Amino acid sequence: MMRQDRWAGMVCAFVLFIAVFVYQKIGLAAATCVRDEPKPELLLFILPGFIAGFISLRGDLIRPLAGVVLALPFCFLIMHLWLIPQRSPVQEAAWLFSGAFWCAIGVLSALCVRSLRHRQRRYRRWRH
């Protein structure tokens, strides 16, 4: 059971990153694409990292990020085999890596929340 818990963060990040990617690409393909406009939809990539950061055992940072890195080639293949790329491959790769960046921010945010909750519990025990 313990061995499965070690990989839960990685698998969760892998699956959720791909799910957010497909959601983003299908949603963006349906909408009209306006150039030179901010892209706040990249912020949705925080969610896979945040969830994987909470699921990972003992606040592990590496495994959720490894899951995201493993998901990048799959997303690139999905984009070029099943979806119509809207930009050049280099731009699409840059978009994917920015999604990975936001996912890493989500993992760090989850670890920060975990740490603050742990400190709050320790403080409560100390006061009582």
Side-chain angles (χ1 to χ4, degrees):
M1 184 71 179
M2 185 71 129
R3 185 172 275 301
Q4 291 173 347
D5 290 343
R6 289 185 193 162
W7 298 98
M10 180 185 280
V11 171
C12 178
F14 180 83
V15 170
L16 290 177
F17 189 87
I18 291 174
V20 169
F21 168 77
V22 169
Y23 173 76
Q24 289 287 326
K25 286 299 178 178
I26 289 173
L28 288 177
T32 59
C33 185
V34 178
R35 302 222 184 239
D36 300 331
E37 221 176 86
K39 304 280 189 238
E41 67 269 0
L42 279 172
L43 294 176
L44 275 178
F45 282 104
I46 291 175
L47 293 175
F50 194 78
I51 293 168
F54 268 113
I55 290 176
S56 65
L57 185 65
R58 284 184 249 126
D60 189 16
L61 174 68
I62 300 300
R63 285 201 172 96
L65 294 180
V68 170
V69 169
L70 289 174
L72 290 175
F74 285 99
C75 292
F76 201 73
L77 283 174
I78 290 169
M79 182 176 7
H80 287 283
L81 294 178
W82 288 290
L83 302 173
I84 299 170
Q86 297 173 348
R87 296 175 215 100
S88 72
V90 173
Q91 288 176 323
E92 292 291 350
W95 187 84
L96 275 172
F97 279 108
S98 63
F101 168 79
W102 286 110
C103 198
I105 295 295
V107 173
L108 290 172
S109 299
L111 295 179
C112 180
V113 168
R114 261 182 143 172
S115 175
L116 290 174
R117 288 177 58 198
H118 179 69
R119 283 192 175 170
Q120 183 182 23
R121 287 185 201 136
R122 281 185 31 198
Y123 179 73
R124 285 184 182 168
R125 283 188 218 146
W126 179 75
R127 293 241 354 188
H128 294 289

